[in-house]
Amino acid sequence: MSRHTPRIVMKFGGTSVADLDRIRAVAEKVRKQVEAGCEVAVVVSAMSGVTNQLVGYCQSLSPLHDAREYDAVVATGEQVTSGLLAIALQTIGVEARSWLGWQIPLRTDAAHGKARIGSIDGEALVERMQAGQVPIIAGFQGVAADGRITTLGRGGSDTSAVAIAAAIGADRCDIYTDVDGIYTTDPRIVARARKLDKITYEEMLELASVGAKVLQTRSVELAMKERVRVQVLSSFVDGPAPSEGNLPGSLVVDEDEIVEKELVAGIAYSRDEAKLSVRRIPDRPGIAAAIFGPLTAANVNVDMIVQSTGADGLTNMTFTTSRTDLARAIQSLEASRDVIQYGELVTDDDVVKISVVGIGMRSHAGVANLMFRTLSDRNINIQVISTSEIKVSVLIAAEYAELAVRALHTAYGLDAA
Ligand code: ADP
Ligand code: ASP
Ligand code: MG
C-alpha cells in the first residue's frame, strides 16, 4: 500500500535545544516541516550539559550507585526538553504533545545505563500524527519489563530516533546537530575536513564504533538493519524544510547508492582508551584464557590485543579497554595474579586510538602501510595495531592525537580543496 504523505522523524541533539531561544528555533523548523505537508515525529535530547551534570550528581553521592536510580535521574533531562518543545510548538499554533519512553511504550531490556531497545509500539504515535498532532518524544529513555525507566547509553537519543523511525515506517530520519553533516573527520579537529554527501551504513557504523560521536553506534546498526534512511544536518542553518529533492546534510545509505567510491571514507579518534600490559608471564597454553576469562566475567570489554614473546620463555600480553573499565580490569588482573603468574602489570591511559575506515580497503592493498609510513615520518610511535576488513586502528600517545589525524587526513587525500 502506498502512502502519499511523507513521514519524517526530526531528532534534535543537546546543543540544538540548549536554551529557550534554541528551542524556539527548533519549533520553527518543525513548523516548516509540517507546513511542507509532512507527518512529523520529533525526538529530543536533554539541553547540552544537563546529562553530564546529572551523571555527576549520581557519581558524587556514590561511585557505585544503583543503576536503576541512575536511570531515574539521568532520564529527566529529556523529559524537560520534550515538554518545553511541545509548549513552544503550541505557542506558534502547531498541535504537539510530549511522550516519555514508558508512555509510547518504548520497551527495552533491563541493562540499566546501556539498555537495548526490544520493541516499540508505534500505533498511538501514528494515530496522533495522522490526526495532525506532532509527538515530541523524550530520547535516550525507555521502560524495562518490570516498569522501571531505562536509558540507552550516552548519545542514545540518536538510537531512539532511528528506532522510532523504523516503528512508524518513516521515510527518513533527520538527525539535527551542531555540524552540517558527516565529515571525513571531526571538523572541530581538522579545519580541512570535507563534508560527505553520502556515506555507507558500514563505514558510518565502523567510524561511530571507533569514536566518531556524530551518531551513536547502535543508531547506525539499527538503521542498517531496518533500512532507515538517515540524514545528518545542522539545526543552526536556516533554510527550507528538507525534501527528497533537496537534502542539505549527509545521507547514510547502501553501498550501491554511492557512485564515486573512495579508498578511505574517514578518520576517527577515541580518547576513551586505556592500555594494560601484563608482563613476564611464563609462556604456556591457556594464558589468553586465564587473562581474558576473568576480564569478561568482570564485564570489561577488551579491544586491541598483542602478545609478544621474548627468547627467555616469558611472554607479554598488551591490550586496551575503555578508560571507564580500567579500574575494574586492574582489580580483576590483581585477583588472578596467582593463576596467571605474571611479573608485573603496567597501565597507561594517556593514549588515543586513531582509526582509518573505508570499504575501498577490501580491494586495495597498502592502506595500512600508508598509515604506518605517515606516522613514522612524523616520528609518532605506534604502540598497538588492530585491523578489520574495512578499518586499521593504531594506539599512540595522546599528545600526538591531533597531529596524527591531520597528517593522515592529508596523506589519504581527504583534505578539502
Ligand atoms: P548532539 O548533541 O547533536 O547529539 P554530538 O556532540 O553528539 O551532537 O555529535 C556532534 C559532534 O560530533 C560534532 O560537533 C563533531 O565535533 C563530532 N564529530 C566527530 N566526528 C565527526 C565527523 N566525522 N563528522 C561530523 N561530526 C563529527
Ligand atoms: N542526553 C543524552 C546524552 O547526553 C542522550 C543524547 O544526547 O543523545 O548522552
Ligand atoms: Mg549525540
Side-chain angles (χ1 to χ4, degrees), residues 11-14 44-47 49-52 74 77-78 139-140 153-159 216:
K11 179 259 172 178
F12 295 92
V44 287
S45 289
M47 291 180 177
V50 166
T51 309
N52 285 345
V74 302
E78 275 73 9
F140 186 49
R154 298 306 306 270
S157 295
D158 296 330
T159 304
Q216 196 198 32

Side-chain angles (χ1 to χ4, degrees), residues 203 206-207 210 263-267 355-359 361 390-391:
E203 287 166 322
E206 200 81 45
L207 279 171
V210 292
L263 187 57
V264 161
I267 300 173
S355 305
V356 170
V357 171
I359 49 177
M361 283 182 211
I390 64 164
K391 176 198 77 191

Side-chain angles (χ1 to χ4, degrees), residues 173-303:
C173 181
D174 283 346
I175 307 279
Y176 285 85
T177 183
D178 56 1
V179 287
D180 62 357
I182 299 164
Y183 280 73
T184 47
T185 193
D186 189 342
R188 296 187 194 287
I189 296 275
V190 178
R192 294 168 80 183
R194 188 154 46 82
K195 186 176 144 194
L196 299 164
D197 290 334
K198 291 180 178 174
I199 184 167
T200 64
Y201 288 114
E202 272 181 89
E203 287 166 322
M204 191 60 236
L205 180 61
E206 200 81 45
L207 279 171
S209 73
V210 292
K213 70 165 184 167
V214 61
L215 289 173
Q216 196 198 32
T217 306
R218 276 186 194 167
S219 72
V220 188
E221 210 172 64
L222 196 61
M224 187 164 151
K225 181 165 153 258
E226 301 284 342
R227 288 302 187 255
V228 175
R229 286 163 63 73
V230 172
Q231 179 186 207
V232 173
L233 68 172
S234 171
S235 71
F236 290 78
V237 177
D238 273 335
S243 60
E244 277 310 308
N246 169 30
L247 298 175
S250 302
L251 267 191
V252 190
V253 295
D254 268 325
E255 194 174 334
D256 54 18
E257 275 195 60
I258 297 200
V259 190
E260 276 182 55
K261 294 194 175 67
E262 312 252 4
L263 187 57
V264 161
I267 300 173
Y269 64 93
S270 163
R271 296 184 193 277
D272 181 28
E273 307 290 324
K275 183 179 74 167
L276 296 95
S277 294
V278 188
R279 298 201 183 143
R280 291 190 284 112
I281 318 164
D283 202 4
R284 60 179 194 277
I287 286 299
I291 292 175
F292 299 116
L295 286 172
T296 307
N299 223 344
V300 172
N301 275 324
V302 172
D303 178 20

